C-alpha cells in the first residue's frame, strides 16, 4: 500500500487532532487520527458515543477544521491544521457529499428541489438539474414524493432524499454520519449497499459512521474509534466480534 | 430555482400579513408627505388662483392671509391711478362658522368686485358665475352645499349658483364667493337691536357735544342709518389686488406704492413666501420630523422582520453552506426577501393610499416625485434592513446544520 501514489487516495488524514475549548475546559475529542481511503473504497467507522467519530467526519468534511494535522482530499491538501488551503465551501460543493443522522433537508424546498438545489449550486441548469434529481429519486424509490415538502415525508424517505442530494454532484468523497439511524434494518442495508455501489461505480471514497453491525459485510475496511483514538480493525478482530 | 421565493411561499400567510403591516406603515410615510404637499398647495392655492400681481395691505402687516389687514375701500381708486396698473380689485376675505341643517358650516368668505368681477375666473365644476349683485354665492365642493341650496347668513339668505373644486383657504376651509357688498354685510352684520342702540348712543354723544348743542339739526342726522352718514367710514376691506398691464415689471409698481405711508405692498411671490415661511413653516417642520421618525421606525421594523425571518432560516442557511452554497447565494436570499417585502409594501401603500386619502378632510397630494422619493427610501430601507440579517447569516457555521 505504501507504493500507491497519493492520487489513488480519495481521502487522507495525517495525525489530525481536535481539541475543543481551552485550559481547564479542554476536551481532546480526537488525537492523531490517521486514515487513508482509496478511490472506490468504502470504510465503516465504529465506536461508542462520544468517541470522536463525528469530530473526525466533520474534519474530513472540511466543516470543522482540526487543531493540528492535515486533511488531503483527492491528493489536494485542503486543511493544514485549522488553516484552509483552498476555498473550503466550493471544495465541498464540488467534491464532497454529506449524509447525516438527521436528514438535514431544507424545509421550504420540496423533495426534488432539495436535490436540485445542490446541482444548481454547481452550475447545472434548472431543467437538467430537475431531470437528474428525479432520476436519482426514482433510483432511490422515492420518485412519487418528488413534490412533497420534507415535513410530509417519513424519516426513511427524508434520509433517501438526503442520500440523493449527497450523490447529486458525483462527489469523489461521500461522508455519512449514522445515516441509517432513522431507517429500518432493510432500508438501512439498502442505503449502505447504495453507497458501496456508488463508490465502486464513481471511484469515490466513502466513510460511513455506523452502529449497525449487521451491515458490516458491505464495507471494504473498518476503523474504530475509542476516546479520540482511531485504529484500523484487522480481519481477525472482525471475525472474533 | 429562486430560494427567496420558495421560502416566502412556504410561509405565505406570515409573509402576507407582514407585508400588509409594512405597507400600512409606508402608507403613513407616503401620506405624511402628501399632507405636507396638500398644506403647501392649499396655502398658496388662493394666491395662485386669484392671480393678482400685487397685493396692497395695511401698513406693516403681512396680510391679508397671514394676518388681518384693513384698508379703506377707496384705496382701489388710488391704486388704479398708478401707471402700469390694469385692474385694481377689492379683496374681502374672512372666515365664519355658522350652522346649516344643524351641522357646523365653516365658510371662508371671499368678496368679488361686482360688477367687474363676477367670478368668471373661478373654475366651476357645475353651475354658473354670479349673475346679480346680491344674494348669490359660489361654493366650494368641500362645503357640501348643492346648487340651488339656500344658506342663511346674517339677515339675508343666499342661493348657491355655482360649485368649485379645490378652492379652500390655508386651513382647509372651503371658500364661498359673494359680491363684496354681500361679503361685507355678512362680516359686519349687526342685529337690529345693536343698530338701534348705536343710533341712540350717537344721539346721546351728540347731545353732549358742543356742536350738537349749537346745531340741533345735526342730531337728527346722527340717528339716521350709518350708511347715510358721510362722516362715518365705509366698512373697510382686507386688501387691494392689482393686475398689471402686460409686460410691466411688478417690482417697479411695487416700489411706487411702497412710497405710500399708509399701506404696504407685496408681489404675488412675496405673498407666497409669507404664507410658506410663516403659516406653513412650523407645520412643514412638524410633518417633516414625523416623516423622518416614521421612516426610521419603518426601517427598524423591517430590519427586525428580516432579522427574524433570517433567524427562522438559520438551519437552512447552515445546510446551504454545508453543501457548498457561496456567500452570494445566501446574501441574495436575504436581500431578495427584504426587497420583495419593501416592494410589496410600497405597492400596498400606494394602492391603499390612493383609495383612502381622497376621503381625508384635508387634501393629501401624491406627486410622482414623492412616489419616486418613497421608492428610493424603501429601497434604502430594504437594503439597510437586510444588513443585520445578512451579518447574522454570514456568521452561521455549516456545523449548525448538524445540531
Ligand atoms: N463543539 C464541541 N465543543 C466541546 N466539546 C465537543 C464539541 N463537539 C464534541 N465535543 C466533545 O468531543 C467528544 C467527541 O464527540 P463526537 O465527535 O461528537 O463523538 P461521537 O460522534 O463519536 O459520538 C465528546 O466528548 C464531545 O463531548
Ligand atoms: Mg456523532
Amino acid at each position: 500500500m505504501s507504493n500507491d501514489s497519493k492520487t489513488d487516495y480519495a481521502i487522507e488524514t495525517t495525525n489530525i487532532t481536535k481539541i475543543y475549548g481551552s485550559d481547564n475546559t479542554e476536551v481532546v475529542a480526537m488525537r492523531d487520527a490517521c486514515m487513508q481511503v482509496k478511490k472506490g473504497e468504502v470504510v465503516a467507522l465504529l465506536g461508542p458515543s462520544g468517541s470522536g467519530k463525528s469530530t473526525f467526519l466533520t474534519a474530513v468534511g472540511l466543516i470543522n477544521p482540526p487543531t493540528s494535522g492535515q486533511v488531503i482530499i483527492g491528493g489536494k491538501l485542503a486543511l493544514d491544521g485549522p488553516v484552509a488551503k483552498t476555498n473550503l465551501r466550493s471544495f465541498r460543493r464540488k467534491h464532497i457529499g454529506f449524509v447525516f443522522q438527521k436528514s438535514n433537508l431544507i424545509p421550504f424546498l420540496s423533495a426534488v428541489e432539495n436535490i436540485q438545489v445542490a446541482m444548481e449550486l454547481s452550475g447545472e441548469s434548472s431543467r437538467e438539474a430537475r431531470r437528474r434529481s428525479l432520476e436519482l429519486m426514482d433510483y432511490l424509490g422515492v420518485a412519487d414524493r418528488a413534490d412533497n415538502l420534507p415535513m410530509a415525508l417519513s424519516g426513511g424517505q427524508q434520509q433517501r432524499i438526503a442520500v440523493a442530494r449527497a450523490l447529486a454532484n458525483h462527489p469523489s468523497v461521500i461522508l455519512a454520519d449514522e445515516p441509517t439511524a432513522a431507517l429500518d434494518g432493510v432500508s438501512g442495508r439498502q442505503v449502505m449497499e447504495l453507497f458501496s455501489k456508488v463508490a465502486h461505480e464513481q471511484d469515490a471514497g466513502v466513510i460511513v459512521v455506523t452502529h449497525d453491525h449487521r451491515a458490516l459485510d458491505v464495507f471494504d475496511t473498518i476503523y474504530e474509534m475509542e476516546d479520540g483514538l482511531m485504529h484500523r480493525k484487522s480481519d481477525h478482530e472482525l471475525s472474533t466480534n | 430555482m429562486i430560494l427567496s421565493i420558495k421560502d416566502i411561499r412556504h410561509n405565505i400567510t406570515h409573509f402576507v400579513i407582514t407585508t400588509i403591516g409594512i405597507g400600512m406603515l409606508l402608507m403613513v410615510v407616503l401620506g405624511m408627505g402628501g399632507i405636507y404637499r396638500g398644506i403647501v398647495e392649499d396655502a398658496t392655492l388662493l394666491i395662485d388662483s386669484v392671480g393678482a400681481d400685487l397685493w396692497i395691505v395695511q401698513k406693516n402687516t403681512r396680510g391679508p392671509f397671514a394676518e388681518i389687514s384693513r384698508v379703506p375701500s377707496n384705496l382701489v381708486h388710488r391704486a388704479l391711478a398708478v401707471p402700469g396698473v390694469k385692474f385694481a380689485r377689492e379683496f374681502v376675505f374672512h372666515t365664519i362658522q355658522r350652522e346649516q341643517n344643524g351641522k357646523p358650516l365653516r365658510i371662508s368668505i371671499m368678496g368679488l368686485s361686482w360688477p367687474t368681477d363676477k367670478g368668471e375666473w373661478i373654475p366651476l365644476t357645475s353651475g354658473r358665475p354670479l349673475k346679480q349683485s346680491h344674494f348669490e354665492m359660489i361654493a366650494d365642493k368641500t362645503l357640501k352645499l348643492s346648487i340651488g341650496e339656500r344658506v342663511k347668513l346674517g339677515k339675508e339668505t343666499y342661493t348657491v349658483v355655482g360649485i368649485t373644486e379645490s378652492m379652500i383657504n390655508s386651513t382647509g376651509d372651503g371658500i364661498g364667493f359673494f359680491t363684496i357688498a354681500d361679503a361685507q354685510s355678512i362680516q359686519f352684520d349687526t342685529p337690529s337691536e345693536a343698530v338701534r342702540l348705536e343710533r341712540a348712543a350717537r344721539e346721546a354723544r351728540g347731545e353732549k357735544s358742543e356742536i350738537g348743542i349749537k346745531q340741533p339739526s345735526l342730531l337728527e342726522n346722527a340717528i339716521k342709518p350709518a350708511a347715510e352718514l358721510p362722516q362715518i367710514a365705509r366698512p373697510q376691506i382686507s386688501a387691494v389686488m392689482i393686475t398689471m398691464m402686460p409686460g410691466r415689471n411688478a417690482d417697479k409698481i411695487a416700489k411706487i406704492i411702497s412710497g405710500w405711508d399708509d399701506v404696504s405692498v407685496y408681489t404675488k411671490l412675496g405673498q407666497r413666501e409669507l404664507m410658506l415661511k410663516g403659516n406653513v413653516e412650523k407645520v412643514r417642520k412638524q410633518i417633516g420630523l414625523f416623516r423622518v421618525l416614521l421612516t426610521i421606525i419603518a426601517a427598524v421594523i423591517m430590519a427586525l422582520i428580516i432579522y427574524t425571518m433570517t433567524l427562522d432560516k438559520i438551519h437552512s442557511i447552515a445546510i446551504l453552506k454545508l453543501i457548498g452554497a457561496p456567500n452570494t447565494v445566501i446574501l441574495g436570499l436575504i436581500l431578495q426577501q427584504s426587497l420583495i417585502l419593501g416592494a410589496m409594501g410600497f405597492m400596498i401603500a400606494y394602492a391603499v393610499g390612493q383609495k383612502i386619502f381622497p376621503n381625508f378632510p384635508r387634501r393629501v397630494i401624491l406627486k410622482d416625485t414623492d412616489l419616486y422619493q418613497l421608492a428610493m427610501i424603501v429601497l434604502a430601507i430594504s437594503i439597510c434592513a437586510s444588513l443585520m440579517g445578512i451579518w447574522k447569516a454570514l456568521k452561521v457555521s455549516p456545523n449548525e446544520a448538524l445540531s
Side-chain angles (χ1 to χ4, degrees), chain A residues 53-54 177-178:
Chain A
K53 305 180 299 291
S54 296
D177 196 350
E178 304 183 32

Side-chain angles (χ1 to χ4, degrees), chain A:
Chain A
M1 202 175 271
S2 55
N3 293 334
D4 285 340
S5 79
K6 271 203 162 180
T7 45
D8 282 340
Y9 291 121
I11 304 159
E12 246 188 308
T13 68
T14 52
N15 299 318
I16 53 173
T17 298
K18 179 73 186 186
I19 302 172
Y20 289 112
S22 56
D23 299 333
N24 50 352
T25 61
E26 210 172 87
V27 179
V28 182
M30 168 174 75
R31 186 184 294 281
D32 293 329
C34 292
M35 185 190 278
Q36 288 165 332
V37 182
K38 282 183 284 192
K39 290 178 178 170
E41 186 179 1
V42 188
V43 172
L45 182 55
L46 308 177
S49 174
S51 57
K53 305 180 299 291
S54 296
T55 303
F56 176 77
L57 209 68
T58 51
V60 173
L62 314 181
I63 50 184
N64 185 18
T67 315
S68 64
Q70 295 184 327
V71 178
I72 300 155
I73 306 285
K76 183 169 171 46
L77 177 62
L79 280 170
D80 190 3
V83 183
K85 293 290 182 184
T86 175
N87 181 336
L88 299 183
R89 224 187 282 175
S90 78
F91 201 89
R92 280 202 299 273
R93 180 171 69 236
K94 288 179 199 141
H95 302 294
I96 306 179
F98 294 95
V99 184
F100 291 95
Q101 180 172 357
K102 285 197 294 168
S103 64
N104 280 307
L105 299 177
I106 296 172
F108 57 81
L109 298 181
S110 69
V112 66
E113 285 165 348
N114 260 287
I115 307 165
Q116 212 180 320
V117 72
M119 295 180 185
E120 287 186 24
L121 285 174
S122 298
E124 188 82 275
S125 77
S126 183
R127 265 180 83 129
E128 178 61 12
R130 190 176 168 88
R131 190 191 63 74
R132 273 185 46 219
S133 301
L134 287 170
E135 210 173 83
L136 264 172
M137 288 184 78
D138 193 34
Y139 185 73
L140 285 160
V142 279
D144 55 324
R145 311 311 302 268
D147 293 318
N148 285 104
L149 289 174
M151 210 168 57
L153 302 179
S154 73
Q157 286 168 332
Q158 288 184 28
Q159 202 57 287
R160 283 160 210 247
I161 304 298
V163 170
R165 184 179 67 193
L167 303 178
N169 293 321
H170 308 297
S172 53
V173 170
I174 296 168
L175 304 172
D177 196 350
E178 304 183 32
T180 57
L183 303 180
D184 59 73
V186 178
S187 33
R189 188 177 176 87
Q190 233 181 340
V191 167
M192 297 297 192
E193 279 170 353
L194 176 66
F195 284 143
S196 169
K197 186 174 151 162
V198 170
H200 298 141
E201 278 177 8
Q202 296 183 11
D203 248 3
V206 179
I207 305 176
V208 181
V209 172
T210 181
H211 283 304
D212 191 351
H213 287 249
R214 288 169 300 179
L216 285 185
D217 57 297
V218 175
F219 298 95
D220 302 317
T221 320
I222 293 171
Y223 282 79
E224 188 159 25
M225 278 191 96
E226 199 153 3
D227 281 338
L229 295 172
M230 176 144 75
H231 66 97
R232 188 179 162 144
K233 274 196 157 186
S234 66
D235 293 345
H236 165 73
E237 274 180 286
L238 280 172
S239 54
T240 57
N241 253 347

Side-chain angles (χ1 to χ4, degrees), chain B residues 49 293 375:
Chain B
S49 50
L293 271 181

Side-chain angles (χ1 to χ4, degrees), chain B residues 108-263:
Chain B
S108 224
I109 290 178
M110 184 168 163
L112 300 173
S113 299
W114 182 272
T116 43
D117 182 358
K118 300 180 175 110
E120 287 95 343
W121 54 273
I122 304 167
L124 297 177
T125 54
S126 61
R128 57 166 174 83
L130 303 186
K131 262 192 189 160
Q132 58 188 47
S133 59
H134 282 296
F135 313 134
E136 284 190 347
M137 68 177 284
I138 298 169
D140 186 69
K141 201 177 71 177
T142 54
L143 294 174
K144 301 211 162 62
L145 298 171
S146 43
I147 289 197
E149 192 167 347
R150 297 159 72 79
V151 186
K152 185 157 168 49
L153 300 168
K155 291 188 197 59
E156 310 296 348
T157 302
Y158 301 86
T159 307
V160 178
V161 296
I163 301 287
T164 63
E165 199 172 41
S166 309
M167 285 305 239
I168 51 183
N169 73 0
S170 62
T171 47
D173 299 315
I175 295 174
F177 297 89
F178 300 78
T179 61
I180 294 269
D182 284 353
Q184 285 182 320
S185 69
I186 294 166
Q187 183 178 12
F188 297 107
D189 171 49
T190 348
S192 334
E193 183 59 15
V195 173
R196 268 195 298 279
L197 289 173
E198 166 58 17
R199 286 194 204 168
R202 274 205 299 267
E203 192 178 15
R205 282 200 301 272
E207 278 172 343
K208 281 188 208 130
S209 72
E210 201 189 336
I211 187 164
I213 296 165
K214 282 184 183 160
Q215 296 190 340
S217 63
L218 261 182
L219 292 182
E220 282 163 33
N221 278 324
I223 55 173
K224 284 183 183 167
E228 293 172 23
L229 299 181
Q231 302 92 324
I232 291 180
R234 296 276 81 74
Q236 292 187 303
I237 57 175
S238 302
V240 169
M241 301 181 284
I242 288 177
T243 309
M244 297 182 303
M245 289 172 183
R248 296 305 174 105
N249 184 329
D251 291 325
K252 268 192 189 147
I253 300 176
K255 201 162 175 216
I256 297 172
I257 298 172
S258 64
W260 302 351
D261 284 338
D262 60 335
V263 291

Side-chain angles (χ1 to χ4, degrees), chain B residues 254-297:
Chain B
K255 201 162 175 216
I256 297 172
I257 298 172
S258 64
W260 302 351
D261 284 338
D262 60 335
V263 291
S264 293
V265 63
Y266 298 104
T267 59
K268 184 169 168 181
L269 248 139
Q271 268 304 348
R272 287 183 59 111
E273 289 277 281
L274 287 182
M275 282 310 275
L276 295 180
K277 292 260 164 66
N279 293 24
V280 179
E281 183 65 9
K282 278 185 198 156
V283 181
R284 193 179 76 105
K285 279 191 184 148
Q286 182 104 340
I287 291 178
L289 286 173
F290 261 107
R291 203 171 177 218
V292 170
L293 271 181
L294 275 170
T295 309
I296 294 171
I297 292 169

